[in-house]
Amino acid sequence: MRSKRFLLAEQATLVWDTPGLHAGVDEAGRGPLAGPVVAAAVILDELQPIKGLADSKQLTALQRARLYDEIRAKALCCSVAEASVEEIDTLNILQATMLAMRRAVSGLRLKPVKVLVDGNRLPPLDVLAEAIVQGDAKVQAISAASILAKVTRDRLLDELHLQHPQYGFNQHKGYGTAQHLDALRQHGPLPVVHRRSFAPVAQAFAARLSPAGSSEEARTAAPRAGAAQ
C-alpha cells in the first residue's frame, strides 16, 4: 500500500508518462520591486498545434502578443492568477509564487492528471505534479504558460504606468533598474504597488520616514503643489 506521503503532489517526482491531460505552469514577476506575481496554467490541444512556442524571455514583445492571442484561441483551457503585493510581503515571494500557481491550476476548466511546473519547486496541489528545470524551454505547455503570465503581467504594469508615469513602469516592468531606483529616491515607494519586503523598497520607505527624508519631502512639497495649481 502506498503511503500518503508519496501521494502528495508536491513530493512526487515522476519518471513515467501519465496518460491524460497535462497542464503546464509558469510564473512571471518574482524578481521585480513592484506589482503582483502572476502565474498561468495551460492545457494545450494536440489537434491545434501552436508554432513558435518558447520561453517568453526569448521572444520579442510582438511575438509574445501574437502567441498570447493564439494560445487563448487554441488551448483546451487556460487560467491566469496572481498573488498581490500584500501577499508577497506577508508570505514572502516564494510562497506567494506558489500561491499564484495553485490558484492558476485551480482555475482550469478541465482538471489535468498531471501538472508540469517550470523550476525546481512545486506548489501544493491535489494532482500529481513534476518540477522541470528550464521547463519553459523544454515543454510546450509550460512555454505557453510562461507567455500568458508574462504578457498579463506586462499589461498590468503598463496600466500602472498610466496611473504613475513618473516611475516608468512601462519600461522596466517593476524591475530594479537604475531608472526605477532613481524614481524611488525621487518620489518614494507607492503603497500597495511596491513590495516593502524587498530591500531597495524597504530602504526607500525608511528614507522617507527619517528626519532627513521628511525635511526633503517638505522642501519639495511646495513646488509640486504650486505646479498643480
Side-chain angles (χ1 to χ4, degrees):
M1 180 177 178
R2 294 179 180 178
S3 68
K4 292 182 179 179
R5 181 181 179 83
F6 178 82
L7 294 176
L8 288 175
E10 65 271 26
Q11 296 172 350
T13 300
L14 307 181
V15 294
W16 63 89
D17 195 18
T18 307
L21 298 176
H22 291 186
V25 176
D26 201 1
E27 53 74 27
R30 282 185 63 171
L33 307 179
V37 60
V38 176
V42 179
I43 300 177
L44 293 175
D45 185 350
E46 293 180 356
L47 300 179
Q48 297 193 77
I50 300 173
K51 294 182 180 180
L53 289 175
D55 175 4
S56 63
K57 296 184 292 296
Q58 303 304 316
L59 301 170
T60 67
L62 287 176
Q63 288 173 324
R64 288 194 296 266
R66 178 186 63 78
L67 287 166
Y68 175 95
D69 291 337
E70 192 171 357
I71 294 164
R72 286 288 195 180
K74 291 183 176 180
L76 284 178
C77 62
C78 50
S79 170
V80 179
E82 65 181 60
S84 67
V85 170
E86 181 180 3
E87 288 170 325
I88 292 170
D89 288 340
T90 301
L91 300 174
N92 75 45
I93 184 57
L94 174 60
Q95 294 307 316
T97 301
M98 297 297 105
L99 176 60
M101 287 182 171
R102 189 166 75 245
R103 287 170 173 167
V105 174
S106 297
L108 288 170
R109 177 177 56 83
L110 302 173
K111 186 168 184 176
V113 298
K114 181 179 177 182
V115 174
L116 307 173
V117 181
D118 181 55
N120 59 3
R121 294 178 181 270
L122 291 171
L125 301 169
D126 62 355
V127 296
L128 291 173
E130 182 178 2
I132 301 177
V133 176
Q134 296 183 343
D136 49 6
K138 299 175 182 177
V139 180
Q140 286 203 326
I142 298 179
S143 299
S146 75
I147 292 166
L148 291 192
K150 171 68 172 168
V151 172
T152 298
R153 190 178 187 283
D154 283 355
R155 290 176 178 176
L156 288 174
L157 271 292
D158 287 341
E159 292 176 8
L160 276 177
H161 174 71
L162 296 177
Q163 301 170 38
H164 310 283
Q166 69 272 31
Y167 289 87
F169 289 123
N170 63 326
Q171 297 181 45
H172 53 67
K173 307 304 182 189
Y175 283 90
T177 64
Q179 177 194 14
H180 193 185
L181 294 175
D182 185 58
L184 279 174
R185 286 189 291 268
Q186 289 189 47
H187 309 293
L190 291 165
V192 185
V193 172
H194 282 100
R195 303 173 181 179
R196 289 174 176 260
S197 54
F198 281 47
V201 179
Q203 293 165 5
F205 269 114
R208 303 294 283 187
L209 293 174
S210 68
S214 299
S215 299
E216 177 63 22
E217 187 172 359
R219 287 196 299 271
T220 59
R224 287 201 300 269
Q229 293 175 356

